[in-house]
C-alpha cells in the first residue's frame, strides 16, 4: 500500500482526499452499442470531491471485473491485504432474456452498488482499480450521450469550495464565445448568456461540446457559440474487421465497423451471427489464414483465441483488428489445403 493510502487510512478524514476522488456516481441512462454482438453501456454521471462532474460509459462486465478484484483484495476472506471490509453486493450475471430489459432492471441495483462502494473507507476509494473504473478516459470523452433520463442525488455531502483562479494560460486554452443565450433542459447542460466566454473541455459529438463558463460545467450545442480556439482533433475510435468474402465467381473485401476495443476477443457465436447479418447468408463459414498461409475453418471459441494469438505480431492498419476473416461457402471444401506434402491433412468438421 502506498504512503498516501497509509496516511489516509490513519487519519481517515474525508477532507484529505484529493479533489478528483469520486463521491457520487449515478446511472443517467443506457446506450445500445453494436459490437460483435449488440450490448448496452451504462451512462454514469460521476461527481468528484472538488465539485466537478463528468460522464463515464461502462459495461456490466466492467462492474463485475472491478468487484472480483476488490473481493480478492479486501473481501472478508481475503488474505492479500491487511485491511478488509464488507463490500456491497453486485447482482450476478444473467444469460437469458432481452438485453435491454436486463440492463434496465440492473440500473437501481448498480446505483445502490456504486453508492455503497463510494461510502467505503478512504483506502478503498484510493485503490487503483476503483480510481480507474471511475476515471474519465479518452473513450468516455468520445461517447455521445443520446439521452439522460435518470439523474440521482449525490451519495456524499460535498463542502462548498471557493473558486480558485486556474493556473493554466487562459489565452492558450481552447475557448468559445456565446452567440446566443442557451438554457439547458437537463442538469448536465451548461447555461450561458450571449457574449459569455466558455472554456472548452471536450467534444461530445459533431453537434455538442463540453465546457466551463464561470463556475459551471456542462454540455451545450456547438451552433450556439463561435470558436475562438478549437480543441485538438480527436481520432475515430470505431474499429473495423477486414473480411474477404469468397464465392464461386469472385472475391470481395468488406470492412465491418464494430464498437469494440482492438484487444477484445469475440465469441465464436457472436462473430458468426454478425457475419450472417452482414452478408445476409446462413450457409457461410468463417476462416482465417494460419502462419503458413492456409485457410483454417473456425469452429469454436478456442479457434478464435488461436487466430487472435497468431495475429498479435502481424502488422495491421490503424483502427483495424490485426486478424482478418475469410468468409466461404459451407460446402466449398476446395479452399482448404489438403496436400500431403506438408505432412498433414486439413480436417474440417461440420458446424
Amino acid at each position: 500500500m502506498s504512503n498516501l493510502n497509509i496516511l489516509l487510512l490513519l487519519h481517515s478524514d474525508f477532507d484529505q482526499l484529493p479533489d478528483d476522488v469520486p463521491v457520487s456516481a449515478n446511472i443517467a441512462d443506457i446506450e445500445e452499442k453494436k459490437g460483435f454482438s449488440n450490448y448496452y453501456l451504462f451512462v454514469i454521471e460521476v461527481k468528484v470531491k472538488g465539485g466537478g462532474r463528468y460522464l463515464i460509459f461502462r459495461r456490466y462486465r466492467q462492474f463485475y471485473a472491478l468487484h472480483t478484484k476488490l473481493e480478492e483484495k479486501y473481501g472478508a476472506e481475503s488474505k492479500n491485504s491487511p485491511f478488509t471490509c464488507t463490500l456491497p453486493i453486485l447482482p450476478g450475471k444473467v444469460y437469458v432474456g432481452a438485453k435491454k430489459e436486463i440492463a434496465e432492471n440492473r440500473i437501481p441495483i448498480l446505483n445502490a452498488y456504486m453508492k455503497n462502494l463510494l461510502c467505503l473507507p478512504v483506502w478503498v476509494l484510493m485503490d487503483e482499480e476503483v480510481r480507474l473504473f471511475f476515471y474519465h478516459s479518452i473513450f468516455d470523452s468520445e461517447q455521445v450521450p443520446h439521452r439522460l433520463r435518470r439523474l440521482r442525488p449525490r451519495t456524499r455531502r460535498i463542502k462548498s469550495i471557493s473558486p480558485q483562479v486556474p493556473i493554466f494560460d487562459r489565452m492558450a486554452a481552447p475557448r468559445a464565445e456565446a452567440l446566443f443565450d442557451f438554457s439547458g433542459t437537463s442538469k448536465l447542460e451548461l447555461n450561458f448568456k450571449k457574449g459569455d466566454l466558455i472554456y472548452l473541455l471536450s467534444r461530445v459529438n459533431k453537434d455538442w461540446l463540453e465546457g466551463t463558463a464561470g463556475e459551471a460545467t456542462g454540455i451545450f450545442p456547438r451552433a450556439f457559440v463561435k470558436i475562438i480556439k478549437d480543441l485538438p482533433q480527436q481520432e475515430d475510435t470505431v474499429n473495423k474487421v477486414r473480411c474477404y468474402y469468397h464465392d464461386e465467381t469472385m472475391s470481395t473485401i468488406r470492412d465491418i465497423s464494430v464498437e469494440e476495443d482492438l484487444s477484445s476477443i469475440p465469441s465464436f457465436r457472436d462473430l458468426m451471427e454478425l457475419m450472417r447479418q452482414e452478408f445476409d447468408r446462413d450457409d457461410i463459414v468463417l476462416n482465417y489464414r494460419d502462419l503458413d498461409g492456409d485457410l483454417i475453418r473456425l469452429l469454436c471459441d478456442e479457434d478464435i483465441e488461436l487466430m487472435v494469438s497468431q495475429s498479435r505480431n502481424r502488422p495491421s492498419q490503424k483502427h483495424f483488428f490485426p486478424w482478418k476473416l475469410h468468409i466461404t461457402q459451407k460446402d466449398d471444401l476446395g479452399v482448404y489445403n489438403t496436400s500431403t506434402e506438408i505432412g498433414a491433412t486439413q480436417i474440417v468438421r461440420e458446424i
Side-chain angles (χ1 to χ4, degrees):
M1 180 172 289
S2 69
N3 291 335
L4 176 59
N5 280 6
I6 293 174
L7 178 64
L8 291 170
L9 176 67
L10 293 176
H11 296 279
S12 64
D13 187 347
F14 183 69
D15 289 340
Q16 297 193 41
L17 284 172
D19 283 347
D20 63 349
V21 167
V23 295
S24 167
N26 303 286
I27 296 173
D29 212 336
I30 57 174
E31 298 279 355
E32 185 176 16
K33 296 292 182 180
K34 180 182 178 182
F36 296 114
S37 65
N38 286 6
Y39 61 91
Y40 283 87
L41 287 174
F42 294 96
V43 185
I44 305 168
E45 181 196 31
V46 177
K47 297 180 182 179
V48 296
K49 176 174 173 280
R53 61 183 179 177
Y54 50 78
L55 295 177
I56 62 174
F57 297 72
R58 299 292 181 264
R59 297 176 70 164
Y60 172 77
R61 69 185 187 188
Q62 291 172 284
F63 280 91
Y64 189 85
L66 171 67
H67 186 74
T68 299
K69 291 175 181 176
L70 293 180
E71 282 283 4
E72 293 173 354
K73 288 184 179 181
Y74 308 119
E77 300 180 359
S78 173
K79 298 179 180 179
N80 299 322
S81 171
F83 310 108
T84 60
C85 62
T86 301
L87 295 170
I89 297 174
L90 183 73
K93 292 183 176 181
V94 178
Y95 298 97
V96 179
K99 292 182 179 180
K100 183 175 182 180
E101 182 180 352
I102 292 171
E104 290 280 6
N105 291 338
R106 279 175 169 160
I107 290 176
I109 305 174
L110 290 177
N111 274 335
Y113 177 81
M114 291 187 292
K115 177 179 179 179
N116 292 328
L117 179 65
L118 295 177
C119 289
L120 290 176
V122 292
W123 42 271
V124 177
L125 299 186
M126 291 302 297
D127 182 88
E128 180 182 11
E129 301 297 341
V130 176
R131 299 294 300 274
L132 286 175
F133 181 85
F134 290 105
Y135 177 70
H136 187 246
S137 66
I138 294 176
F139 169 80
D140 296 318
S141 68
E142 293 170 342
Q143 301 308 300
V144 180
H146 297 293
R147 300 172 302 169
L148 298 170
R149 297 172 301 157
R150 301 166 177 263
L151 290 175
R152 300 283 190 264
R154 58 174 60 95
T155 56
R156 291 186 193 253
R157 187 176 299 278
I158 304 174
K159 287 187 176 182
S160 299
I161 298 178
S162 300
Q164 298 178 348
V165 178
I167 60 174
F168 60 85
D169 182 356
R170 289 179 175 269
M171 296 305 295
R175 58 197 186 280
E177 180 184 350
L179 296 175
F180 314 98
D181 294 353
F182 177 71
S183 298
T185 57
S186 82
K187 294 180 180 179
L188 291 182
E189 294 179 2
L190 180 68
N191 298 322
F192 51 77
K193 298 291 186 181
K194 178 181 178 180
D196 284 354
L197 187 63
I198 303 168
Y199 289 95
L200 306 179
L201 300 177
S202 66
R203 292 184 184 87
V204 176
N205 57 29
K206 65 183 180 65
D207 298 318
W208 286 75
L209 298 169
E210 181 186 28
T212 297
E215 299 178 16
T217 297
I219 61 175
F220 58 91
R222 192 185 191 284
F224 277 64
V225 301
K226 177 180 71 175
I227 302 297
I228 300 173
K229 182 173 182 180
D230 205 353
L231 290 159
Q233 290 297 316
Q234 295 175 333
E235 297 180 350
D236 187 7
T237 57
V238 175
N239 296 311
K240 297 180 180 180
V241 178
R242 171 64 54 90
C243 298
Y244 299 88
Y245 179 76
H246 309 278
D247 62 17
E248 297 84 356
T249 58
M250 62 183 297
S251 296
T252 57
I253 298 176
R254 184 181 300 184
D255 296 327
I256 298 175
S257 298
V258 292
E259 296 177 283
E260 297 275 5
D261 187 84
L262 289 175
S263 62
S264 298
I265 302 177
S267 70
F268 172 75
R269 177 179 177 180
D270 289 343
L271 197 57
M272 175 60 82
E273 182 63 29
L274 176 62
M275 295 304 141
R276 284 173 174 164
Q277 292 175 4
E278 289 290 335
F279 292 97
D280 196 23
R281 298 283 298 263
D282 289 330
D283 59 341
I284 57 174
V285 291
L286 311 183
N287 309 270
Y288 74 100
R289 290 202 183 276
D290 66 7
L291 299 178
D292 295 321
D294 296 326
L295 283 186
I296 304 296
R297 184 178 289 192
L298 297 165
L299 300 168
C300 59
D301 289 343
E302 288 76 13
D303 291 343
I304 299 287
E305 292 171 4
L306 179 60
M307 173 186 70
V308 172
S309 175
Q310 290 187 1
S311 69
R312 281 179 180 147
N313 295 325
R314 294 180 178 177
S316 61
Q317 294 176 252
K318 199 170 188 179
H319 294 305
F320 275 80
F321 287 86
W323 43 271
K324 300 174 177 62
L325 289 178
H326 292 260
I327 317 298
T328 62
Q329 305 305 305
K330 184 175 182 179
D331 296 330
D332 183 8
L333 304 183
V335 299
Y336 302 107
N337 182 3
T338 57
S339 172
T340 57
E341 294 179 2
I342 61 173
T345 301
Q346 169 103 21
I347 300 176
V348 179
R349 294 166 285 168
E350 291 295 331
I351 295 181

